[in-house]
Amino acid sequence: MNPDRTAGRDLALAAVVLLSRLPFLGRGYGTDNDAWSVVAAARHIAATGEYKVSRFPGFPLHEYGVALLQAGGPWAVNGASAVACAVAAVLLARLLRRAGVRDAGAGALAFAFVPAVFVASTAGMDYLGACALVLLAFELALEARGLGAGIALGLATACRITSIAYLPPIALLAWARRPGTPGTATAPRRTRAVLAIAVPAVLVGALAYLPVLARYGMESLSYYEPAGGQRQSMWHFLAGLATLYRLPHPPAFVAGIASVGVFGLPGFAALAVVLVARWARRTAPARPPAPAPPRMIAACGAAIAIGLALFLRLPDDEGYLIPVLPFAFVLLGRALDPRAFRALCVALMLSPFVLGVDAEPPKKGVTPESRSALARRFALGHQSFVLDPLRGPLLMDQDKRRAQRDLLARARERWAGLPANAVVIAGLLDLPLHIEIGYGPVSTFDIVTLDDLRRLRAAGRPIYYLPDAPERTRRFFGYALEAEGARPLL
């Protein structure tokens, strides 16, 4: 293909991805409280020059990057995620072309429109930055540029520590290069090619975490289990990977995150249809893709397996599967008939905008102030859900961000009139309150146990709550805030 034409297509792809994000960047830092935690840490870094972790085990490259951008507010912080998404889409298009996929541009654009990717690219999270750097490492390894691949993977690790897990498939690209390629024909030379990637990846990643270790010591090598939020060491995480650690959530919940949570309802339905049709036919596509290096296909399969294993160890967020998606697109583009692949891409591009499904109250953010006229609620187990045909995952996320912004503005108006010893049960607005208002003498909590609430009341402290906090309290601790004397703040 003409290089100039390819470059033009890549620029057009990046422009479409960026322009499609612009209407969604300005309402706060997202519904994921981890994004607000990053901003809190970044403001501390910018103000003092001293490193502060947003949450363990630390995300130093992302945290320092946001420290440079935080003065620009959500447009700057979220805009960086949009740029990272555009870069990832272009790198995926290049990878798809290498893999012989005819509709490389459509596949890369569909990746950028996968609901989990679209939402993450309009918020202050680190998912897309780490994903783009892993894809860059993959491309550089394919080009036998080991040092560059290692540095890119080390930077991805500095952005998100689990990125180092993608070292084996990237190293496979160096080890399994075509026989006869200069410099890699013998086992010792193959080994040196692998070390040329592994050594800089580990060194760059380790150097990036020196500020974390200097501030917090070995306690920084920890994380929070989803169920109960208990803090554990990284060795506990690795042991869980090796021993098939039990799922922290019901299997149906995990399956929902990995399917509809990632792809949206139309996207996942289309994915299921094309995969079932491909399996039922059990033949190669009518128009098979151009040949691709076996090492690339094997490396993509290994990357998917590693990403799924990491997700099943901590299946708490659909964003954890974002690094898997580019490699899944490569295998789908090769396995599916071109017409089926294009139909899947179209469904994924529609998926952010229609047929949204969400829990009530939501897992992230706050309940929107209104739904569309066609929205319907239903119960599944002990959880209430809403299906809104006119609001897809992206639009639902924007509704929650709008409601979050409005609630914070109303809370700000009431804040100065609260008693100095007041307590506010804020639910998932706890951290955004800290960022936007500051706590002052008022104490705030996400949720509190019944015993803790009664101790606060016995100490003469008035208790207030924000929307969604009563339902979250009932779900986690089984009691009613109103019955214990708490009053709505708004």
Side-chain angles (χ1 to χ4, degrees), residues 275-338:
L275 288 178
V276 169
R278 176 69 177 86
W279 175 83
R281 191 171 61 244
R282 298 188 184 182
T283 58
R287 296 173 57 197
R295 61 195 173 104
M296 180 195 300
I297 307 307
C300 286
I304 292 171
I306 287 169
L308 289 175
L310 291 171
F311 171 74
L312 290 174
R313 180 62 183 84
L314 290 177
D316 201 41
D317 195 293
E318 58 274 8
Y320 297 169
L321 284 170
I322 287 176
V324 173
L325 295 176
F327 307 108
F329 270 94
V330 171
L331 299 191
L332 287 167
R334 290 190 58 80
L336 298 176
D337 183 85

Side-chain angles (χ1 to χ4, degrees), residues 141 146-147 149-151 153 167 170-171 174 192-202:
L147 177 61
I151 291 173
L153 184 59
L167 175 58
I170 292 172
R192 286 197 292 272
V194 169
L195 291 176
I197 296 174
V199 171
V202 172

Side-chain angles (χ1 to χ4, degrees), residues 107-126:
L109 189 60
F111 159 77
F113 275 73
V114 168
V117 175
F118 206 135
V119 170
S121 69
T122 64
M125 290 299 293
D126 51 81

Side-chain angles (χ1 to χ4, degrees), residues 139-147 177 181 184 295:
E139 172 163 314
L140 293 173
L142 281 167
E143 295 177 351
R145 295 164 64 182
L147 177 61
R177 291 183 66 203
T181 302
T184 59
R295 61 195 173 104

